[in-house]
Amino acid sequence: MVVCLLAELLRDLGYSDIRADHTSAYPDPEKRNGRVPDVTAYSPFGRDPVVEIDTGTNTTTRDQRQLSDISTGLDPNESLLQVDCDDPLFDGW
């Protein structure tokens, strides 16, 4: 599952307090504006990532609402990242 792989990548890169939705391997992320992002972590490099993972290039209206809600609920030290798990970067994970 892409969520676990992304969480493991962040851990390997030195991020801490990694949280991932839809898996028992990590604690659930805290809600942002009533929505649960897919992955969150504390960054040793600056802004903390808040990640939402989608599939395909077409973002649905529901996905857009979720992204908008999460975005408006971010702390100043967080950045929203949208990841397309069909992107070649994730191909084969």
Side-chain angles (χ1 to χ4, degrees):
M1 176 181 262
V2 174
V3 170
C4 286
L5 294 170
L6 182 57
E8 290 169 8
L9 174 63
L10 291 172
R11 183 197 64 217
D12 292 347
L13 291 172
Y15 289 75
S16 62
D17 192 26
I18 299 160
R19 297 171 178 265
D21 199 18
H22 311 295
T23 178
S24 61
Y26 294 91
D28 290 337
E30 293 180 18
K31 289 183 178 182
R32 305 302 194 279
N33 199 25
R35 303 284 189 145
V36 178
D38 290 320
V39 179
T40 63
Y42 287 122
S43 172
F45 311 107
R47 297 176 72 92
D48 299 332
V50 176
V51 182
E52 188 61 25
I53 301 170
D54 295 317
T55 303
T57 56
N58 295 328
T59 304
T60 67
T61 302
R62 179 186 172 281
D63 293 336
Q64 285 292 355
R65 271 195 317 268
Q66 175 131 344
L67 288 167
S68 177
D69 289 346
I70 290 172
S71 179
T72 58
L74 295 179
D75 290 335
N77 66 328
E78 296 178 319
S79 293
L80 179 61
L81 304 171
Q82 182 181 11
V83 173
D84 174 6
C85 70
D86 286 341
D87 188 286
L89 173 66
F90 295 99
D91 188 40
W93 272 18

